[in-house]
Amino acid sequence: MSFSVAASLGTHIALRNTHEARIKCLFMYKREENNKIGFKFSKHKVVQSKISLSKQEFSELDERKSPDEVREEIKKCYELINRLGRGAVYLGSSRMGPSHSHYMQAQELAKEIANLLDCTTWSGAGPGLMDAVTQGAMLAGKPVGGFKIGKEAGEWTASNFHPYLPSENYLTCRFFSARKHGLVDAVVRNNSFDKTAVVALPGGVGTLDEVFEMLALIQLERIGSKLPIPMLLMNYDSFYSKLLDFLDDCEGWGTVSKGEVASLWKVCNSNSEALAYLEEFYGISSIDKNLI
């Protein structure tokens, strides 16, 4: 009987035969000399089958069993931040390329914020709007750092390497939890001299995941409790207007308090509005800007 794996590796998996009949089996894998996995079905009849795995795949299976692997990656994130400095963290789409109007707006915004706050620019170090902010910060001549993953949604290629950033400026994360630790820590202010910001650009599922996680951390005072952190939602071309309508409806349903979400971030329809807000937030005068 031929079959294919129909679920991820775990204590139990399901196999599907050519007639689409599902068979649950107890997963018992052992490392053999020829790097093969044996399966023993939980029915009375014992069937042995083999699936070949590469040495790299075996290594990944072994590493993911240990919490030390995640801990070590988080440590590397912190080390990178301590070396490059905290600053503005950008969340945004990996699909909006150079031909998109939001790309040019994001690039200009990152350039202006890097100059205004005199800070490091952080992002997911991927394509799309993340590439736009990287380019903007480089035009400003300010430090750039990133927490990359192997493949972004809609990315031109799946790669652990950035096409032009020096390898010492970014970390390719295997674990999303470590990557999120990095993005959060990069925006936490350690002293009153630190000028940081969370800038939410237009984006999809991944961006919304990061945006609401940041929003929840600010809401619950897990970050910004001692030294407040400005969070900007860039509503280019009314991109987020329907999301904001939904959050207003949440007030009516009683799932958030009236005005609660609005107090956690600043909705900006243009770059000039965002820059003016940051100037006010940090009390940056025109004289200060000339000194930067």
Side-chain angles (χ1 to χ4, degrees):
M1 178 183 71
S2 62
F3 63 88
S4 61
V5 176
S8 59
L9 296 179
T11 54
H12 287 77
I13 68 168
L15 300 181
R16 181 180 299 147
N17 65 10
T18 53
H19 300 291
E20 297 298 314
R22 293 179 179 273
I23 306 173
K24 291 184 178 179
C25 66
L26 178 65
F27 175 53
M28 301 172 59
Y29 97 86
K30 58 184 178 180
R31 190 164 185 168
E32 300 178 348
E33 292 181 356
N34 56 354
N35 284 344
K36 294 183 178 179
I37 288 180
F39 292 88
K40 183 176 180 181
F41 287 79
S42 58
K43 290 190 172 184
H44 297 294
K45 184 178 179 181
V46 175
V47 179
Q48 293 292 331
S49 185
K50 305 287 184 180
I51 294 180
S52 296
L53 293 178
S54 67
K55 290 183 178 179
Q56 180 182 356
E57 288 171 319
F58 261 109
S59 175
E60 289 177 356
L61 283 174
D62 290 340
E63 290 172 356
R64 288 181 182 275
K65 290 180 178 178
S66 171
D68 293 336
E69 293 297 322
V70 182
R71 190 180 300 115
E72 183 62 28
E73 193 162 275
I74 292 173
K75 181 182 177 182
K76 290 179 181 179
C77 290
Y78 288 167
E79 290 172 349
L80 182 62
I81 294 165
N82 289 334
R83 181 158 51 80
L84 295 180
R86 289 169 170 79
V89 172
Y90 292 85
L91 316 172
S93 172
S94 63
R95 300 175 188 259
M96 294 178 172
S99 62
H100 201 289
S101 62
H102 294 174
Y103 183 100
M104 298 306 299
Q105 288 173 286
Q107 184 183 70
E108 184 62 25
L109 179 64
K111 175 185 174 182
E112 294 296 331
I113 289 180
N115 282 323
L116 179 67
L117 303 185
D118 191 26
C119 67
T120 302
T121 295
W122 292 93
S123 74
L129 298 189
M130 289 178 285
D131 182 60
V133 300
T134 297
Q135 293 281 354
M138 292 176 69
L139 289 173
K142 303 297 181 181
V144 178
F147 299 103
K148 183 174 167 46
I149 54 176
K151 180 174 174 59
E152 294 280 357
E155 189 173 357
W156 53 79
T157 182
S159 171
N160 290 333
F161 305 100
H162 194 279
Y164 57 83
L165 275 181
S167 59
E168 61 269 20
N169 282 52
Y170 68 94
L171 177 67
T172 300
C173 299
R174 291 181 55 229
F175 304 103
F176 264 72
S177 54
R179 185 183 192 230
K180 287 186 174 182
H181 270 283
L183 290 171
V184 170
D185 191 64
V187 81
V188 173
R189 299 171 64 198
N190 279 342
N191 56 65
S192 59
F193 299 104
D194 282 339
K195 294 182 176 65
T196 69
V198 180
V199 183
L201 300 164
V205 173
T207 300
L208 291 174
D209 170 47
E210 295 163 350
V211 167
F212 278 102
E213 180 159 5
M214 287 285 194
L215 196 67
L217 291 172
I218 295 173
Q219 177 194 43
L220 300 175
E221 298 184 347
R222 304 302 298 178
I223 60 174
S225 57
K226 294 182 179 179
L227 294 168
I229 299 166
M231 182 167 182
L232 288 69
L233 185 73
M234 301 308 300
N235 193 31
Y236 293 148
D237 301 318
S238 300
F239 182 89
Y240 283 117
S241 291
K242 290 184 178 180
L243 174 64
L244 295 170
D245 289 342
F246 165 74
L247 293 172
D248 286 341
D249 289 342
C250 288
E251 292 184 2
W253 287 103
T255 54
V256 296
S257 300
K258 186 173 180 59
E260 181 180 10
V261 176
S263 69
L264 301 175
W265 59 17
K266 171 67 175 177
V267 179
C268 302
N269 296 310
S270 66
N271 287 353
S272 58
E273 191 176 350
L275 295 168
Y277 175 74
L278 290 176
E279 287 177 20
E280 179 183 359
F281 188 94
Y282 285 113
I284 301 173
S285 65
S286 56
I287 296 176
D288 294 328
K289 286 193 288 183
N290 292 331
L291 293 175
I292 296 176

